[in-house]
CSV table of all heavy atoms in Angstrom, one decimal:
chain,number,residue,atom,x,y,z
L,77,MET,N,-2.5,6.7,-9.7
L,77,MET,CA,-1.1,6.6,-10.2
L,77,MET,C,-1.0,5.5,-11.3
L,77,MET,O,-1.6,4.5,-11.1
L,77,MET,CB,-0.1,6.4,-9.1
L,77,MET,CG,-0.1,7.6,-8.1
L,77,MET,SD,0.8,7.3,-6.6
L,77,MET,CE,-0.4,6.3,-5.8
L,78,GLN,N,-0.1,5.8,-12.2
L,78,GLN,CA,0.1,4.7,-13.3
L,78,GLN,C,1.4,3.9,-12.9
L,78,GLN,O,2.4,4.5,-12.6
L,78,GLN,CB,0.3,5.4,-14.6
L,78,GLN,CG,0.4,4.5,-15.8
L,78,GLN,CD,0.5,5.2,-17.1
L,78,GLN,OE1,1.0,6.3,-17.2
L,78,GLN,NE2,0.0,4.5,-18.1
L,79,ARG,N,1.2,2.6,-12.9
L,79,ARG,CA,2.3,1.7,-12.5
L,79,ARG,C,3.4,1.8,-13.5
L,79,ARG,O,3.2,1.9,-14.7
L,79,ARG,CB,1.8,0.3,-12.4
L,79,ARG,CG,0.8,0.1,-11.3
L,79,ARG,CD,0.3,-1.3,-11.3
L,79,ARG,NE,1.3,-2.4,-11.0
L,79,ARG,CZ,1.7,-2.7,-9.8
L,79,ARG,NH1,1.2,-2.2,-8.7
L,79,ARG,NH2,2.6,-3.7,-9.7
L,80,ASP,N,4.6,1.7,-13.0
L,80,ASP,CA,5.8,1.6,-13.9
L,80,ASP,C,5.6,0.5,-14.9
L,80,ASP,O,5.1,-0.6,-14.5
L,80,ASP,CB,7.1,1.4,-13.1
L,80,ASP,CG,8.3,1.5,-13.9
L,80,ASP,OD1,8.6,0.5,-14.6
L,80,ASP,OD2,9.1,2.5,-13.8
L,81,TYR,N,6.0,0.7,-16.2
L,81,TYR,CA,5.8,-0.3,-17.2
L,81,TYR,C,6.6,-1.6,-17.0
L,81,TYR,O,6.3,-2.6,-17.5
L,81,TYR,CB,6.1,0.3,-18.6
L,81,TYR,CG,5.1,1.3,-19.0
L,81,TYR,CD1,5.4,2.6,-18.8
L,81,TYR,CD2,3.9,0.9,-19.5
L,81,TYR,CE1,4.4,3.6,-19.2
L,81,TYR,CE2,2.9,1.8,-19.9
L,81,TYR,CZ,3.2,3.2,-19.8
L,81,TYR,OH,2.3,4.1,-20.1
L,82,ASN,N,7.6,-1.6,-16.1
L,82,ASN,CA,8.4,-2.7,-15.9
L,82,ASN,C,7.9,-3.6,-14.7
L,82,ASN,O,8.5,-4.6,-14.4
L,82,ASN,CB,9.9,-2.3,-15.6
L,82,ASN,CG,10.5,-1.7,-16.8
L,82,ASN,OD1,10.4,-2.2,-17.9
L,82,ASN,ND2,11.2,-0.6,-16.6
L,83,LYS,N,6.9,-3.1,-14.0
L,83,LYS,CA,6.3,-3.9,-12.9
L,83,LYS,C,5.1,-4.8,-13.4
L,83,LYS,O,4.6,-4.6,-14.5
L,83,LYS,CB,5.7,-2.9,-11.9
L,83,LYS,CG,6.7,-2.1,-11.1
L,83,LYS,CD,6.0,-1.3,-10.1
L,83,LYS,CE,5.3,-2.0,-9.0
L,83,LYS,NZ,6.0,-2.5,-7.9
L,84,HIS,N,4.8,-5.7,-12.6
L,84,HIS,CA,3.6,-6.6,-12.9
L,84,HIS,C,2.4,-5.6,-13.1
L,84,HIS,O,2.2,-4.7,-12.3
L,84,HIS,CB,3.3,-7.5,-11.7
L,84,HIS,CG,2.1,-8.3,-11.8
L,84,HIS,ND1,2.0,-9.3,-12.8
L,84,HIS,CD2,0.9,-8.3,-11.1
L,84,HIS,CE1,0.8,-9.9,-12.6
L,84,HIS,NE2,0.1,-9.3,-11.6
L,85,LEU,N,1.6,-5.9,-14.1
L,85,LEU,CA,0.5,-5.0,-14.5
L,85,LEU,C,1.0,-3.6,-14.9
L,85,LEU,O,0.3,-2.6,-14.6
L,85,LEU,CB,-0.6,-4.9,-13.4
L,85,LEU,CG,-1.2,-6.3,-13.0
L,85,LEU,CD1,-2.2,-6.1,-11.8
L,85,LEU,CD2,-1.9,-6.9,-14.2
L,86,GLY,N,2.2,-3.5,-15.4
L,86,GLY,CA,2.7,-2.2,-15.8
L,86,GLY,C,1.8,-1.4,-16.7
L,86,GLY,O,1.2,-2.0,-17.6
L,87,GLY,N,1.8,-0.1,-16.5
L,87,GLY,CA,1.0,0.8,-17.3
L,87,GLY,C,-0.4,1.0,-16.8
L,87,GLY,O,-1.1,1.9,-17.2
L,88,MET,N,-0.9,0.1,-15.9
L,88,MET,CA,-2.2,0.2,-15.3
L,88,MET,C,-2.3,1.3,-14.3
L,88,MET,O,-1.3,1.7,-13.7
L,88,MET,CB,-2.6,-1.1,-14.6
L,88,MET,CG,-2.6,-2.4,-15.5
L,88,MET,SD,-4.0,-2.5,-16.6
L,88,MET,CE,-5.3,-2.8,-15.4
L,89,TRP,N,-3.5,1.9,-14.2
L,89,TRP,CA,-3.7,3.0,-13.3
L,89,TRP,C,-4.3,2.3,-12.0
L,89,TRP,O,-5.1,1.4,-12.1
L,89,TRP,CB,-4.7,4.0,-13.8
L,89,TRP,CG,-4.0,4.8,-14.9
L,89,TRP,CD1,-4.0,4.6,-16.2
L,89,TRP,CD2,-3.4,6.1,-14.7
L,89,TRP,NE1,-3.3,5.5,-16.9
L,89,TRP,CE2,-2.9,6.5,-16.0
L,89,TRP,CE3,-3.1,6.9,-13.6
L,89,TRP,CZ2,-2.2,7.7,-16.2
L,89,TRP,CZ3,-2.5,8.1,-13.8
L,89,TRP,CH2,-2.0,8.5,-15.1
L,90,GLU,N,-3.9,2.8,-10.9
L,90,GLU,CA,-4.4,2.3,-9.6
L,90,GLU,C,-4.7,3.4,-8.6
L,90,GLU,O,-4.1,4.5,-8.7
L,90,GLU,CB,-3.4,1.3,-9.0
L,90,GLU,CG,-2.1,1.8,-8.7
L,90,GLU,CD,-1.1,0.7,-8.2
L,90,GLU,OE1,-1.6,-0.4,-7.9
L,90,GLU,OE2,0.1,1.0,-8.3
L,91,LEU,N,-5.7,3.1,-7.7
L,91,LEU,CA,-6.1,4.1,-6.8
L,91,LEU,C,-5.2,4.2,-5.6
L,91,LEU,O,-5.2,5.2,-4.9
L,91,LEU,CB,-7.6,3.7,-6.3
L,91,LEU,CG,-8.2,4.6,-5.3
L,91,LEU,CD1,-8.4,6.0,-5.8
L,91,LEU,CD2,-9.5,4.0,-4.8
L,92,THR,N,-4.5,3.2,-5.2
L,92,THR,CA,-3.8,3.2,-4.0
L,92,THR,C,-2.3,3.2,-4.1
L,92,THR,O,-1.7,2.6,-5.1
L,92,THR,CB,-4.2,1.9,-3.1
L,92,THR,OG1,-3.8,0.7,-3.9
L,92,THR,CG2,-5.6,1.9,-2.8
L,93,ALA,N,-1.7,3.8,-3.1
L,93,ALA,CA,-0.2,3.7,-2.9
L,93,ALA,C,-0.1,2.5,-1.9
L,93,ALA,O,-1.1,2.2,-1.2
L,93,ALA,CB,0.4,4.9,-2.3
L,94,GLY,N,1.0,1.8,-1.8
L,94,GLY,CA,1.1,0.8,-0.8
L,94,GLY,C,2.1,-0.2,-1.1
L,94,GLY,O,2.8,-0.2,-2.1
L,95,GLY,N,2.2,-1.2,-0.1
L,95,GLY,CA,3.2,-2.2,-0.2
L,95,GLY,C,3.3,-3.0,1.1
L,95,GLY,O,2.5,-2.8,2.0
L,96,SER,N,4.2,-3.9,1.1
L,96,SER,CA,4.4,-4.8,2.3
L,96,SER,C,5.0,-4.2,3.5
L,96,SER,O,5.9,-3.4,3.3
L,96,SER,CB,5.2,-6.0,1.8
L,96,SER,OG,4.5,-6.7,0.8
L,97,ALA,N,4.6,-4.6,4.6
L,97,ALA,CA,5.2,-4.1,5.9
L,97,ALA,C,6.5,-4.8,6.1
L,97,ALA,O,6.6,-6.0,5.9
L,97,ALA,CB,4.3,-4.3,7.1
L,98,PHE,N,7.5,-4.0,6.4
L,98,PHE,CA,8.8,-4.6,6.7
L,98,PHE,C,8.8,-5.3,8.1
L,98,PHE,O,7.9,-5.1,8.9
L,98,PHE,CB,9.9,-3.5,6.8
L,98,PHE,CG,10.2,-2.8,5.6
L,98,PHE,CD1,10.6,-1.5,5.6
L,98,PHE,CD2,10.1,-3.4,4.3
L,98,PHE,CE1,10.9,-0.8,4.4
L,98,PHE,CE2,10.4,-2.8,3.2
L,98,PHE,CZ,10.8,-1.4,3.2
L,99,GLN,N,9.7,-6.2,8.3
L,99,GLN,CA,9.8,-6.9,9.6
L,99,GLN,C,9.9,-5.9,10.7
L,99,GLN,O,10.7,-5.0,10.6
L,99,GLN,CB,11.0,-7.8,9.6
L,99,GLN,CG,11.1,-8.8,10.8
L,99,GLN,CD,12.2,-9.8,10.6
L,99,GLN,OE1,13.3,-9.4,10.2
L,99,GLN,NE2,12.0,-11.0,10.9
L,100,GLY,N,9.0,-6.1,11.7
L,100,GLY,CA,9.0,-5.2,12.9
L,100,GLY,C,8.2,-3.9,12.7
L,100,GLY,O,8.1,-3.1,13.6
Side-chain angles (χ1 to χ4, degrees):
M77 293 168 289
Q78 188 176 26
R79 293 176 65 84
D80 186 286
Y81 290 98
N82 295 316
K83 289 184 64 86
H84 176 66
L85 301 175
M88 300 283 293
W89 288 87
E90 59 187 343
L91 176 66
T92 59
S96 298
F98 295 148
Q99 190 173 41

